[in-house]
Amino acid sequence: VVSTQSTGHYYITNNLSHIQHSRQALDLFKRPDMVDRLVDSEANARRIANVENCFGGEVLAAPNRVLVGEGVLQKQCRKQLKPRQFFLFNDVIVYGTIIIHRKKYNNVHILPLDEVRIVALDDIGPERQNGWQIISPRKSFNVYAANASEKSEWIQHLNTCIEGCQRKSAKKVTTELAPAWIPDDAATHCMICAKIKFSPVVRKHHCRRCGKIVCNNCSTKRLLLASQSNEPVRVCDPCFAEASAKRIRRREARLQWR
């Protein structure tokens, strides 16, 4: 296994022992037969078993699954950037909270790649550079690599795996995607009414449909977003009104066809 080690806390594993350069590895990984050659290898099974052990026995092995790479990325959480361990498989991306680096992780999250989209982000300030957005129906968020080269490699490997999954998948591509939440420090006032100023006693809320930071008065409604939760979740009033209007239009359209 060849790894390109950065000066930070990030590395990506190319799983191709005879290739010494990540660009060459990426070109070979795009070949249709490459995943087939890695699926039944002992090295791949050993690496996946190690990841399972790091997550306390979480079952990650699956037919035709290959561990493509792994690394530490800064994930934009509600209040701040936090390091998270990411594992890129050829069909899912897995990430979790680091307890002991390379030894123990928890809070595992698994996103099927046939539902994922990747969008590169512009740099914003010194902290939010070399980032991209991972978008899916279940959860969307921003992540940041240590430098531009790592960002480029991650995005290329992600898109290669996503394209491969979508070619094989019979799933209909959904347009109902979860928003990436706007960070708490990006707003001092409600992003809907612009009147309410947040403070230690005036809480910030996030709309689960658009990701905006809103006050309690502007997010009084709940909406069932099936891809995110089995229970109705908080949404801002404009999103609730828009969703309600769409639901009425769909109902009227069905009645016209009867």
Side-chain angles (χ1 to χ4, degrees):
V1 180
V2 175
S3 301
T4 53
Q5 182 72 45
S6 78
T7 55
H9 298 289
Y10 165 85
Y11 67 94
I12 188 162
T13 305
N14 292 303
N15 296 298
L16 302 168
S17 59
H18 60 297
I19 298 299
Q20 299 299 318
H21 193 278
S22 61
R23 298 297 179 189
Q24 293 173 322
L26 180 62
D27 290 341
L28 278 177
F29 181 67
K30 290 180 179 179
R31 284 170 39 182
D33 65 327
M34 186 52 63
V35 170
D36 293 336
R37 289 170 55 183
L38 296 170
V39 163
D40 296 323
S41 69
E42 291 184 9
N44 181 61
R46 186 171 60 251
R47 284 191 290 269
I48 293 178
N50 182 60
V51 177
E52 291 177 329
N53 290 334
C54 288
F55 277 112
E58 180 76 27
V59 177
L60 297 173
N64 302 316
R65 178 167 290 171
V66 171
L67 177 58
V68 177
E70 56 182 291
V72 178
L73 298 171
Q74 296 292 323
K75 178 179 176 289
Q76 179 64 66
C77 298
R78 177 168 181 162
K79 295 184 181 295
Q80 60 189 356
L81 292 171
K82 294 183 179 180
R84 295 290 184 261
Q85 183 74 27
F86 281 79
F87 297 92
L88 175 61
F89 295 83
N90 60 322
D91 60 339
V92 295
I93 187 164
V94 177
Y95 66 95
T97 303
I98 302 169
I99 306 301
I100 303 174
H101 186 47
R102 296 192 182 182
K103 292 184 178 180
K104 186 176 181 180
Y105 313 112
N106 65 9
N107 298 327
V108 62
H109 297 269
I110 303 173
L111 298 178
L113 287 179
D114 59 1
E115 298 177 351
V116 168
R117 300 179 189 176
I118 301 298
V119 177
L121 298 173
D122 294 331
D123 293 345
I124 303 176
E127 291 187 354
R128 296 186 178 97
Q129 295 188 7
N130 308 309
W132 62 95
Q133 202 167 77
I134 296 176
I135 306 171
S136 79
R138 306 181 190 187
K139 193 175 183 66
S140 300
F141 50 88
N142 299 346
V143 293
Y144 298 87
N147 55 57
S149 176
E150 291 170 12
K151 172 184 177 178
S152 176
E153 288 184 6
W154 264 106
I155 290 178
Q156 288 187 70
H157 281 84
L158 278 162
N159 282 331
T160 298
C161 293
I162 290 168
E163 289 166 7
C165 284
Q166 290 178 344
R167 282 196 301 268
K168 298 175 183 177
S169 176
K171 284 185 182 178
K172 183 180 179 181
V173 177
T174 179
T175 57
E176 294 293 331
L177 301 171
W181 285 13
I182 295 173
D184 275 8
D185 61 5
T188 58
H189 291 71
C190 174
M191 301 179 79
I192 300 299
C193 68
K195 296 177 181 178
I196 300 298
K197 184 177 182 179
F198 299 117
S199 71
V201 294
V202 181
R203 287 192 58 197
K204 296 178 179 179
H205 300 282
H206 279 85
C207 172
R208 270 59 171 183
R209 190 169 181 266
C210 69
K212 290 181 179 178
I213 299 171
V214 297
C215 67
N216 186 63
N217 292 340
C218 292
S219 57
T220 58
K221 304 292 194 300
R222 298 291 188 275
L223 190 66
L224 180 61
L225 302 175
S227 61
Q228 296 186 43
S229 174
N230 293 325
E231 301 291 334
V233 293
R234 181 187 291 268
V235 295
C236 67
D237 292 353
C239 276
F240 183 85
E242 181 181 349
S244 298
K246 284 185 177 179
R247 191 161 54 246
I248 292 171
R249 288 196 295 270
R250 286 196 297 267
R251 188 182 302 124
E252 291 175 345
R254 285 196 298 269
L255 290 173
Q256 288 176 359
W257 282 98
R258 290 182 179 178

